[in-house]
Amino acid sequence: MLEVSDVSRQFGGVYALRDVNLKVAEGELRGIIGPNGAGKSTLFNLISGHLPADHGTVSYNGARIDRLAAHRRAALGIAIVFQAARIFRGMTVRENVMVGSHASTGAGFLSAVLRLPAHRRDERLIRERADAALGRVGLADWADRPAETLPLGQQRSMQLARALCADPKLLLLDEPASGLRATEREALSALITELHETGLTIMLVEHDVAMVTRLADRITVLDLGQVIAEGTPEEVRGDQRVIAAYLGEEVAT
Ligand code: ADP
Ligand code: MG
Protein backbone atom coordinates (compact mmCIF):
# COMPACT_ATOMS: atom_id res chain seq x y z
CA MET A 1 0.00 0.00 0.00
CA LEU A 2 2.82 2.38 0.91
CA GLU A 3 6.33 2.34 -0.44
CA VAL A 4 8.98 4.80 0.71
CA SER A 5 12.11 4.55 -1.48
CA ASP A 6 15.51 6.09 -0.81
CA VAL A 7 13.97 9.06 0.97
CA SER A 8 16.29 11.64 2.49
CA ARG A 9 15.65 14.94 4.21
CA GLN A 10 18.14 17.33 5.75
CA PHE A 11 17.70 20.25 8.10
CA GLY A 12 20.59 22.69 8.04
CA GLY A 13 22.96 20.12 6.64
CA VAL A 14 22.01 17.45 9.16
CA TYR A 15 20.17 14.37 7.96
CA ALA A 16 16.81 13.90 9.70
CA LEU A 17 16.25 10.96 7.34
CA ARG A 18 18.83 9.28 5.16
CA ASP A 19 18.09 6.79 2.36
CA VAL A 20 15.03 5.39 4.11
CA ASN A 21 13.24 2.46 2.49
CA LEU A 22 10.13 0.84 3.81
CA LYS A 23 6.99 -0.88 2.57
CA VAL A 24 3.74 -1.20 4.45
CA ALA A 25 1.14 -3.75 3.36
CA GLU A 26 -2.56 -2.99 3.28
CA GLY A 27 -4.18 -3.90 6.60
CA GLU A 28 -0.88 -3.89 8.46
CA LEU A 29 -0.22 -2.21 11.79
CA ARG A 30 3.37 -1.01 11.54
CA GLY A 31 5.17 0.20 14.61
CA ILE A 32 7.90 2.83 14.17
CA ILE A 33 10.29 3.19 17.08
CA GLY A 34 13.59 4.88 17.71
CA PRO A 35 15.27 7.33 20.11
CA ASN A 36 14.30 11.01 20.22
CA GLY A 37 15.48 12.78 17.10
CA ALA A 38 15.61 9.53 15.09
CA GLY A 39 13.44 11.03 12.32
CA LYS A 40 10.10 9.39 13.11
CA SER A 41 7.98 12.55 12.90
CA THR A 42 9.89 13.69 9.81
CA LEU A 43 9.02 10.36 8.16
CA PHE A 44 5.32 10.93 8.87
CA ASN A 45 5.51 14.48 7.51
CA LEU A 46 7.09 13.21 4.30
CA ILE A 47 4.41 10.53 3.88
CA SER A 48 1.50 12.89 4.62
CA GLY A 49 2.93 15.72 2.53
CA HIS A 50 3.55 18.25 5.29
CA LEU A 51 7.23 18.34 4.34
CA PRO A 52 8.91 17.72 0.99
CA ALA A 53 11.72 15.18 0.73
CA ASP A 54 15.08 16.29 -0.63
CA HIS A 55 15.40 13.03 -2.46
CA GLY A 56 13.52 9.77 -2.99
CA THR A 57 9.95 8.73 -3.74
CA VAL A 58 6.78 7.88 -1.88
CA SER A 59 4.19 5.65 -3.55
CA TYR A 60 0.69 4.84 -2.36
CA ASN A 61 -1.37 2.08 -3.98
CA GLY A 62 1.17 1.95 -6.78
CA ALA A 63 1.17 5.66 -7.68
CA ARG A 64 3.72 8.33 -6.81
CA ILE A 65 2.37 10.84 -4.30
CA ASP A 66 5.55 12.65 -3.26
CA ARG A 67 4.76 15.72 -5.38
CA LEU A 68 1.19 16.03 -4.11
CA ALA A 69 0.16 18.61 -1.53
CA ALA A 70 -0.93 17.35 1.87
CA HIS A 71 -4.65 17.93 1.21
CA ARG A 72 -4.43 15.87 -2.00
CA ARG A 73 -2.83 13.00 -0.09
CA ALA A 74 -5.53 13.34 2.58
CA ALA A 75 -8.16 13.03 -0.15
CA LEU A 76 -6.48 9.79 -1.23
CA GLY A 77 -6.98 8.41 2.27
CA ILE A 78 -3.85 9.32 4.21
CA ALA A 79 -4.58 10.85 7.61
CA ILE A 80 -2.16 11.97 10.29
CA VAL A 81 -2.58 12.63 13.98
CA PHE A 82 0.34 14.91 14.84
CA GLN A 83 2.51 14.51 17.88
CA ALA A 84 1.05 16.83 20.54
CA ALA A 85 -1.88 17.79 18.28
CA ARG A 86 -3.69 20.95 19.35
CA ILE A 87 -7.15 21.09 20.79
CA PHE A 88 -9.30 24.16 20.33
CA ARG A 89 -10.25 25.47 23.75
CA GLY A 90 -13.69 26.97 24.14
CA MET A 91 -15.05 24.67 21.45
CA THR A 92 -17.00 21.47 22.01
CA VAL A 93 -15.64 18.03 21.28
CA ARG A 94 -17.84 17.84 18.16
CA GLU A 95 -16.63 21.24 16.94
CA ASN A 96 -13.03 20.20 17.49
CA VAL A 97 -13.62 17.17 15.31
CA MET A 98 -15.52 19.21 12.69
CA VAL A 99 -12.67 21.71 12.34
CA GLY A 100 -10.41 19.01 10.94
CA SER A 101 -13.03 18.06 8.42
CA HIS A 102 -13.62 21.39 6.67
CA ALA A 103 -10.65 20.94 4.38
CA SER A 104 -12.00 17.66 3.03
CA THR A 105 -15.35 18.92 1.76
CA GLY A 106 -15.82 21.03 -1.33
CA ALA A 107 -17.10 24.43 -0.30
CA GLY A 108 -14.08 25.53 1.67
CA PHE A 109 -13.18 28.31 3.98
CA LEU A 110 -14.48 31.29 2.04
CA SER A 111 -18.02 29.99 1.70
CA ALA A 112 -17.85 28.97 5.35
CA VAL A 113 -17.19 32.59 6.24
CA LEU A 114 -19.87 33.88 3.87
CA ARG A 115 -22.33 31.17 4.98
CA LEU A 116 -23.32 30.27 1.44
CA PRO A 117 -25.93 27.53 0.85
CA ALA A 118 -23.21 25.12 -0.24
CA HIS A 119 -21.60 25.76 3.10
CA ARG A 120 -24.76 24.96 5.06
CA ARG A 121 -25.07 21.64 3.21
CA ASP A 122 -21.42 20.93 3.94
CA GLU A 123 -21.89 21.86 7.56
CA ARG A 124 -24.59 19.21 7.92
CA LEU A 125 -22.45 16.60 6.21
CA ILE A 126 -19.44 17.47 8.33
CA ARG A 127 -21.51 17.27 11.48
CA GLU A 128 -22.78 13.82 10.51
CA ARG A 129 -19.25 12.66 9.79
CA ALA A 130 -17.99 14.08 13.06
CA ASP A 131 -20.70 12.31 15.04
CA ALA A 132 -20.00 9.03 13.23
CA ALA A 133 -16.28 9.39 14.00
CA LEU A 134 -16.99 10.23 17.63
CA GLY A 135 -19.08 7.06 17.79
CA ARG A 136 -16.19 5.02 16.40
CA VAL A 137 -13.86 6.20 19.17
CA GLY A 138 -16.45 5.85 21.94
CA LEU A 139 -17.01 9.57 22.50
CA ALA A 140 -20.62 9.88 21.31
CA ASP A 141 -21.76 10.93 24.79
CA TRP A 142 -19.04 13.58 25.06
CA ALA A 143 -19.81 15.48 21.84
CA ASP A 144 -21.30 18.60 23.46
CA ARG A 145 -18.71 19.05 26.19
CA PRO A 146 -16.01 21.71 26.02
CA ALA A 147 -12.97 19.85 24.65
CA GLU A 148 -10.63 21.07 27.37
CA THR A 149 -12.75 19.39 30.06
CA LEU A 150 -11.97 15.93 28.65
CA PRO A 151 -9.37 13.82 30.44
CA LEU A 152 -6.16 13.52 28.40
CA GLY A 153 -6.99 9.99 27.27
CA GLN A 154 -10.30 11.13 25.77
CA GLN A 155 -8.61 14.14 24.19
CA ARG A 156 -6.41 11.71 22.28
CA SER A 157 -9.48 9.75 21.19
CA MET A 158 -10.93 13.05 19.99
CA GLN A 159 -7.82 13.67 17.86
CA LEU A 160 -8.30 10.21 16.40
CA ALA A 161 -11.94 11.02 15.60
CA ARG A 162 -10.80 14.18 13.79
CA ALA A 163 -8.55 12.06 11.57
CA LEU A 164 -11.27 9.45 11.00
CA CYS A 165 -13.70 12.04 9.58
CA ALA A 166 -11.95 11.84 6.23
CA ASP A 167 -12.51 8.07 6.19
CA PRO A 168 -8.79 7.32 5.84
CA LYS A 169 -7.26 4.10 4.55
CA LEU A 170 -3.83 4.79 6.04
CA LEU A 171 -3.65 6.36 9.47
CA LEU A 172 -0.41 7.81 10.84
CA LEU A 173 -0.35 8.14 14.63
CA ASP A 174 2.57 10.06 16.11
CA GLU A 175 3.06 9.21 19.80
CA PRO A 176 -0.66 9.10 20.63
CA ALA A 177 0.01 7.66 24.11
CA SER A 178 2.57 10.19 25.30
CA GLY A 179 1.70 11.57 28.72
CA LEU A 180 -1.12 9.09 29.27
CA ARG A 181 -1.51 7.03 32.43
CA ALA A 182 -1.42 3.23 32.27
CA THR A 183 -5.21 2.80 32.19
CA GLU A 184 -5.53 5.47 29.47
CA ARG A 185 -2.81 3.75 27.44
CA GLU A 186 -4.70 0.48 27.68
CA ALA A 187 -7.92 2.11 26.50
CA LEU A 188 -6.08 3.77 23.60
CA SER A 189 -4.39 0.47 22.71
CA ALA A 190 -7.79 -1.22 22.62
CA LEU A 191 -9.15 1.53 20.38
CA ILE A 192 -6.18 1.28 17.98
CA THR A 193 -6.65 -2.50 17.85
CA GLU A 194 -10.35 -2.04 17.06
CA LEU A 195 -9.58 0.37 14.22
CA HIS A 196 -6.95 -2.03 12.89
CA GLU A 197 -9.50 -4.86 12.96
CA THR A 198 -11.88 -2.84 10.78
CA GLY A 199 -9.19 -3.04 8.07
CA LEU A 200 -7.50 0.31 8.58
CA THR A 201 -3.78 0.33 7.81
CA ILE A 202 -1.97 2.04 10.67
CA MET A 203 1.53 3.34 11.23
CA LEU A 204 2.18 3.96 14.91
CA VAL A 205 5.10 5.96 16.26
CA GLU A 206 5.28 5.37 19.95
CA HIS A 207 7.88 5.83 22.65
CA ASP A 208 6.27 3.07 24.71
CA VAL A 209 8.07 0.11 23.17
CA ALA A 210 6.03 -2.40 25.15
CA MET A 211 2.82 -0.96 23.70
CA VAL A 212 4.16 -1.08 20.13
CA THR A 213 5.39 -4.64 20.67
CA ARG A 214 1.90 -5.70 21.72
CA LEU A 215 0.06 -3.94 18.89
CA ALA A 216 2.27 -4.07 15.81
CA ASP A 217 2.45 -6.75 13.12
CA ARG A 218 5.91 -5.48 12.19
CA ILE A 219 8.24 -2.85 13.61
CA THR A 220 10.68 -0.53 11.85
CA VAL A 221 13.47 0.92 13.99
CA LEU A 222 14.95 4.29 13.10
CA ASP A 223 18.14 5.70 14.54
CA LEU A 224 19.87 8.89 13.39
CA GLY A 225 17.61 9.01 10.35
CA GLN A 226 18.30 5.51 9.14
CA VAL A 227 16.40 2.24 9.33
CA ILE A 228 18.54 0.03 11.56
CA ALA A 229 16.14 -2.89 11.92
CA GLU A 230 12.80 -4.16 10.71
CA GLY A 231 10.83 -7.29 11.48
CA THR A 232 8.27 -8.84 13.75
CA PRO A 233 8.26 -7.55 17.34
CA GLU A 234 10.10 -10.72 18.40
CA GLU A 235 12.80 -10.26 15.77
CA VAL A 236 13.32 -6.60 16.58
CA ARG A 237 13.41 -7.09 20.33
CA GLY A 238 16.46 -9.35 20.11
CA ASP A 239 18.36 -7.19 17.59
CA GLN A 240 21.73 -6.03 18.93
CA ARG A 241 21.67 -2.76 16.97
CA VAL A 242 18.28 -1.92 18.43
CA ILE A 243 19.45 -2.63 21.95
CA ALA A 244 22.54 -0.47 21.34
CA ALA A 245 20.46 2.41 19.93
CA TYR A 246 18.39 2.47 23.09
CA LEU A 247 21.36 2.42 25.49
CA GLY A 248 21.40 5.63 27.46
CA GLU A 249 17.89 6.39 26.28
CA GLU A 250 15.17 6.05 28.85
CA VAL A 251 12.79 3.45 27.47
CA ALA A 252 9.21 4.03 28.57
CA THR A 253 7.56 1.09 30.28
P1 ADP B 1 11.65 12.05 16.18
O1 ADP B 1 10.22 12.28 15.82
O2 ADP B 1 12.14 10.67 15.88
O3 ADP B 1 11.96 12.44 17.60
P2 ADP B 1 12.15 14.20 14.30
O4 ADP B 1 11.71 13.66 12.99
O5 ADP B 1 11.24 15.14 14.98
O6 ADP B 1 12.56 12.99 15.26
O7 ADP B 1 13.54 14.95 14.12
C1 ADP B 1 14.65 14.35 13.46
C2 ADP B 1 15.78 15.35 13.41
O8 ADP B 1 15.44 16.41 12.54
C3 ADP B 1 16.11 15.98 14.74
O9 ADP B 1 17.50 16.16 14.81
C4 ADP B 1 15.38 17.29 14.70
O10 ADP B 1 16.03 18.26 15.48
C5 ADP B 1 15.45 17.65 13.22
N1 ADP B 1 14.28 18.41 12.76
C6 ADP B 1 13.02 17.94 12.65
N2 ADP B 1 12.19 18.87 12.17
C7 ADP B 1 12.95 19.98 11.99
C8 ADP B 1 12.69 21.32 11.50
N3 ADP B 1 11.45 21.68 11.10
N4 ADP B 1 13.72 22.18 11.44
C9 ADP B 1 14.97 21.83 11.83
N5 ADP B 1 15.29 20.60 12.29
C10 ADP B 1 14.30 19.69 12.37
MG1 MG C 1 8.63 12.90 16.91
Side-chain angles (χ1 to χ4, degrees), residues 201-215:
T201 308
I202 298 174
M203 293 177 77
L204 171 66
V205 165
E206 188 45 64
H207 206 65
D208 181 346
V209 176
M211 177 177 162
V212 178
T213 300
R214 263 183 283 116
L215 294 179

Side-chain angles (χ1 to χ4, degrees), residues 8-21:
S8 297
R9 169 75 203 201
Q10 297 186 36
F11 291 107
V14 177
Y15 279 101
L17 288 178
R18 184 166 203 165
D19 301 328
V20 167
N21 289 283

Side-chain angles (χ1 to χ4, degrees), residues 152-166:
L152 197 57
Q154 267 89 353
Q155 288 186 17
R156 297 291 161 78
S157 299
M158 183 185 80
Q159 313 284 18
L160 263 172
R162 190 186 280 162
L164 291 173
C165 279

